[in-house]
Amino acid sequence: MSDNDRELVAEIARLREDLKQLREIVNVLVNVVMEDDLEDEEGEGFPTYPNADKFNIYN
């Protein structure tokens, strides 16, 4: 194997490792976004009691 081939193989190995690290980062970011979306959805919805200020005109 020539020196040029060895350099290419070494560069491919480095690129594979970089790609693996980037995939891990993307997975972490996706998990953070998904957890944030789930927390937002839990907070949405209808209140269980009416707003007291709405009914002041009837008092």
Side-chain angles (χ1 to χ4, degrees), residues 17-33:
E17 184 62 31
D18 290 346
L19 183 59
K20 181 180 174 184
Q21 291 175 358
L22 288 172
R23 283 181 179 159
E24 291 174 1
I25 291 170
V26 169
N27 284 336
V28 169
L29 291 173
V30 167
N31 288 336
V32 168
V33 169

Side-chain angles (χ1 to χ4, degrees), residues 1-20:
M1 202 190 273
S2 69
D3 288 338
N4 193 23
D5 290 341
R6 289 185 189 135
E7 290 175 13
L8 288 175
V9 169
E11 181 66 20
I12 290 170
R14 285 191 296 270
L15 290 172
R16 285 182 177 166
E17 184 62 31
D18 290 346
L19 183 59
K20 181 180 174 184

